[in-house]
Amino acid sequence: KEFTRLTRRALSHYGDLSKLAASPLTQLPVIDRRLHQRGARDDTLERAQELKALLTESIARLKPRGDDAFGTTDEWRYYNALYFPYVVGVKPYSRRLTRDDVDATTRDALEWFRVHVPERTLYNWQTAGAKLIAQDLRERAESSENLTAP
């Protein structure tokens, strides 16, 4: 439960590197391994960037297979709920956002959110999606530990 809460918080801080750097998830063994593999410095900012990359990869893994950039079926809901608000950085229900500020795919997603997805439903999907991301991170962390175990 705690790991899921930390993952949800990290996702909500996705666009703010200083807040992401404060996440305990930056201490995951998988981050150690990835930094080492890249030959990157082991410092706070590199760890935050690596956590952001891990989150991005996990969100991408939620995307249904195929060439479509966006879809509205049930299999797309968790990907859409995490990708557009966090990775793209748009707030679907913001009145300040205009349709001219975004590309065509994001415009279609925003229209779908506004017309078909109540705000509370989006929040619930983000929470459920965060659980899936937490599970993915946990499994990747465990496999990373197994790779480094003697």
Side-chain angles (χ1 to χ4, degrees):
K1 253 184 162 178
E2 179 65 11
F3 194 82
T4 300
R5 187 185 67 75
L6 292 171
T7 302
R8 179 76 163 98
R9 179 170 287 156
L11 286 165
S12 71
H13 295 304
Y14 183 90
D16 187 337
L17 201 57
S18 66
K19 289 182 179 178
L20 204 54
S23 172
L25 297 180
T26 60
Q27 301 306 311
L28 288 171
V30 66
I31 290 181
D32 294 334
R33 181 177 51 83
R34 289 170 60 122
L35 289 174
H36 179 73
Q37 286 175 339
R38 285 194 303 119
R41 292 185 4 199
D42 186 352
D43 62 27
T44 303
L45 290 178
E46 283 296 330
R47 285 183 166 279
Q49 289 285 15
E50 205 59 48
L51 175 57
K52 186 174 184 176
L54 273 172
L55 292 172
T56 302
E57 291 166 15
S58 291
I59 291 169
R61 290 172 52 136
L62 291 174
K63 183 180 180 197
R65 293 200 171 129
D67 295 332
D68 294 333
F70 169 70
T72 59
T73 61
D74 285 348
E75 67 182 347
W76 283 86
R77 76 177 106 185
Y78 302 132
Y79 172 77
N80 290 341
L82 297 174
Y83 177 76
F84 290 101
Y86 298 133
V87 178
V88 176
V90 294
K91 296 181 183 350
Y93 308 104
S94 172
R95 296 184 195 276
R96 289 186 277 164
L97 185 67
T98 66
R99 294 173 56 93
D100 298 332
D101 294 339
V102 296
D103 62 49
T105 300
T106 304
R107 196 170 24 256
D108 290 345
L110 286 173
E111 183 69 19
W112 174 72
F113 279 120
R114 289 174 177 166
V115 173
H116 299 287
V117 182
E119 198 165 347
R120 183 69 190 168
T121 299
L122 173 61
Y123 178 81
N124 290 339
W125 289 353
Q126 287 174 329
T127 300
K131 288 178 184 176
L132 291 171
I133 298 297
Q135 182 64 35
D136 186 51
L137 290 177
R138 190 177 302 112
E139 289 169 359
R140 291 168 84 175
E142 288 170 1
S143 70
S144 176
E145 288 174 356
N146 292 339
L147 289 175
T148 58

